[in-house]
Amino acid sequence: MRWIGDRESDNIEDRRGGSGMPIAVGGIGGLGAIIVLVVGLFLGIDPSTLLALLNGDQAQPQQTDTQTVDGRPSQGSEAGHDRTRQFVAVVLADTEDVWRQVFKSSGKTYVEPKLVLYTSQIASACGLASAASGPFYCPNDQKVYLDLSFFEEMRARFNAPGEFADAYVVAHEIGHHVQNSLGILKTAKSEEASSDRRGANAISVRVELQADCLAGFWANRADRTKHVIEQGDVEAAMNAASAVGDDRLQREGQGYVVPDSFTHGTSEQRARWFRSGFETGDVRRGDTFNATDL
Ligand SMILES: [Zn+2]
């Protein structure tokens, strides 16, 4: 991924080295004991909230002078984390640029979320979270929480290397912020309250697959405007989406798969919804709530 020299977001809150308390919302995958609040039946989601987003929005391609990045820093080192921090700040800035434009073109204002870097555990407005939860978005304070060690876990545990895979993780969480900004998370959550476990899981899957599609959409727009994508990047992101699919995680974790317990979708679904957003560059394709076939 080409990113060196690009704008870094000011919306990073670096709270690494601190301590915090838990509950995570809408993480990237079913890692550890993540508690998913975004659940419910898939009723009452207004697709027009997404449909309204793309009217007349056509980003103009524009060349940005950047360098190719080759090689990653040694994992776990402080220097490595600082470089990764810089990388995350650039990706976050890219999401701000894309979503600001999309919201603006539909007469809305994109309120930029904060991204909190932490180590081990952190107190969020959604409760105490630990690194075992994986990255997550908390709608209560509109912040994305990320322990950078997750990227190392992506490589070592999930066999999902590549900076663009890491960018997908950030873009997925920002996708939840977009959903929150459009009222989708709130609706989903209220539907969850009147749903049984199975129905709650089903709405969670649709929320998560939509976030994957929005991440793909971001990748499309970021590449159109800044040419960030290099050879192999899209495959790396799709591999990452696939790596955190519920079926694969369950098979590796417990040796068998329980579809009704899925909260994020299968590997195949996650990769496919990411690709759908990426290839079409059409946010309307992210209407997972009315899709008959996920
Ligand atoms: Zn998620």
Side-chain angles (χ1 to χ4, degrees), residues 1 27-29 87 91 95 135 150-151 154 160 162-176 208-219 233-245 264-267 269-275:
M1 176 175 174
I28 189 75
F87 169 76
V91 172
T95 66
F150 182 76
F151 293 154
M154 288 274 287
E163 285 178 331
F164 208 63
D166 299 342
Y168 151 74
V169 169
V170 174
H172 171 97
E173 299 305 335
I174 296 301
H176 286 313
E208 293 300 329
L209 293 178
Q210 184 173 72
D212 285 333
C213 187
L214 295 177
F217 170 81
W218 163 77
D233 278 351
V234 174
E235 291 75 12
M238 286 182 55
N239 177 53
S242 179
V244 291
H264 288 70
T266 66
S267 294
Q269 286 172 329
R270 300 200 67 168
R272 185 153 45 81
W273 280 96
F274 174 86
R275 188 176 60 205

